[in-house]
Amino acid sequence: MTPDARPAKGPLTLSPELREATRRIAQTEHLLVALDFDGTISPIVDRADDARPLPRSAAALAGLAALPRTTTALLSGRALASLRAVASPPVDTLLIGSHGAEAWLGPGSAELTLDENQRLLLAEVRGVLEEIVEQAPGTLLEDKPAGVVLHTRLAEDDVAEDAVAAARSVLQDRKGVFLKNGKRVLETSVVNASKGEGLTFLRQITGATAVLFAGDDVTDEDALARLESGDVGVKVGLDFTQAEFRVEAPAHVAELLEALLQERSLVVAEEEPGTP
C-alpha cells in the first residue's frame, strides 16, 4: 500500500484558510468541481493502468455529482478511454481528456477526429519516438488519439533526461507538433490544446458561477491560470505553483472533497428542502 492510500486516522492538514475557502465556494449558485486525476485523486503509480482513485475521493466525488446545481468533471492528460477505465467516474461527471483535445459531455458527444495531414504527422512523430525508446532502457510509449507520450518514469535519471532531450531536439520545431512537459513524461500532440482551454470550456458549457480546481502536474498550471475571482485553485504537492492553496498529497484532496461535500450539502439542504 502506498503512503497516499493509507486510511486517514483523523483530521489531516487542510489549512484554516483552505477550509474557509471551501465554505465560501460552497455557497455559489452553480459549482463546478474540476479535478486532475493522476497525482490528485489517485496516487502516482509506475504503471498507468494500475492507477485508481482513493476510495474516499471517489465517494466524495460521487456525492458531489449527485447534488443539485453542482457539476463534477475530470480534466486529465489521459486519453478519454484510459481515463474512464481507471477512474470509473460517476455517470454525470464530465470528462476532458488528452489535455483538452478530447471531451465527453454526455451521450452523443462527438469523438475527436484527425484530418489526413494530422494522421500522417502523428505517424511521423511516433516513428521518431520509437527510435528513441529503442535506445533508452526503461522508457516506453503511450498512444493517444491525437498524440504519443514518452514515459520515462522507469528509466534511470540520465537515460530519461537524454531521451527527452533527443525527442525535443527533433520535434520542437516540427510544424504542427505540440510538446508539453509533465512528471517524467513528454507529451506530443498534433492538436494544440491545454487544460486551461478545457477548464474555460467547462465553465462556459455548465454556466458555473465558481470553480474549484485541483491538480498536481506542470500541465495543471494552465488550468490554474484560468481561474477567476471567487474560484479556488489547489496545488497537490510541493512543486512551484500559481495556485492560492496547496495540499501535500492525494489523501489531502480526499479530505478537501469530503469537506466540500459536507458544506455544499448543507447549502443545498437549506435552499432546496427535501434534497437528500
Side-chain angles (χ1 to χ4, degrees):
M1 179 180 291
T2 64
D4 288 340
R6 291 173 186 151
K9 296 182 179 180
L12 295 175
T13 57
L14 294 189
S15 67
E17 293 80 9
L18 180 51
R19 289 185 178 277
E20 177 56 33
T22 302
R23 285 190 286 271
R24 171 181 54 78
I25 201 169
Q27 306 286 329
T28 197
E29 174 64 22
H30 191 122
L31 174 63
L32 171 61
V33 183
L35 306 166
D36 175 44
F37 180 73
D38 295 281
T40 299
I41 62 173
S42 167
I44 295 292
V45 294
D46 289 336
R47 283 175 37 85
D49 290 346
D50 293 337
R52 296 292 184 274
L54 294 180
R56 291 174 60 202
S57 289
L61 187 65
L64 287 163
L67 292 177
R69 297 182 291 102
T70 307
T71 301
T72 55
L74 296 180
L75 185 55
S76 175
R78 286 179 180 261
L80 283 185
S82 172
L83 182 59
R84 286 194 190 94
V86 298
S88 300
V91 64
D92 292 329
T93 293
L94 307 182
L95 304 177
I96 300 291
S98 298
H99 298 285
E102 294 183 277
W104 184 85
L105 309 176
S109 292
E111 294 184 1
L112 173 68
T113 57
L114 304 181
D115 62 31
E116 182 63 17
N117 290 335
Q118 289 173 317
R119 288 194 292 270
L120 291 173
L121 183 57
L122 182 56
E124 292 177 14
V125 170
R126 198 182 203 290
V128 169
L129 295 179
E130 283 177 339
E131 292 182 3
I132 292 172
V133 167
E134 288 176 0
Q135 304 298 320
T139 64
L140 55 89
L141 300 182
E142 175 194 358
D143 289 304
K144 294 184 178 180
V148 184
V149 185
L150 173 62
H151 288 268
T152 65
R153 188 174 301 281
L154 301 180
E156 297 293 333
D157 289 347
D158 57 342
V159 173
E161 291 172 5
D162 288 346
V164 170
R168 279 196 164 275
S169 69
V170 177
L171 298 174
Q172 64 185 357
D173 295 323
R174 186 77 61 91
K175 185 177 180 180
V177 177
F178 306 95
L179 306 180
K180 295 180 185 293
N181 284 321
K183 290 184 177 179
R184 302 293 293 223
V185 299
L186 177 67
E187 301 263 359
T188 74
S189 178
V190 296
V191 174
N192 191 11
S194 72
K195 289 185 178 180
E197 293 170 346
L199 186 65
T200 296
F201 176 62
L202 287 172
R203 187 197 299 272
Q204 291 172 344
I205 64 167
T206 60
T209 51
V211 177
L212 181 144
F213 175 78
D216 76 304
D217 210 342
V218 177
T219 56
D220 294 313
E221 293 298 314
D222 291 334
L224 290 166
R226 297 294 186 99
L227 295 180
E228 302 174 359
S229 176
D231 294 340
V232 174
V234 181
K235 176 73 170 185
V236 186
L238 303 179
D239 294 338
F240 169 81
T241 185
Q242 56 197 309
E244 182 179 1
F245 302 102
R246 184 191 298 275
V247 297
E248 292 183 11
H252 303 98
V253 177
E255 184 188 13
L256 170 64
L257 293 176
E258 288 172 343
L260 181 61
L261 174 60
Q262 181 180 36
E263 296 293 340
R264 186 65 172 170
S265 297
L266 290 173
V267 170
V268 169
E270 290 177 0
E271 296 181 355
E272 301 184 27
T275 301

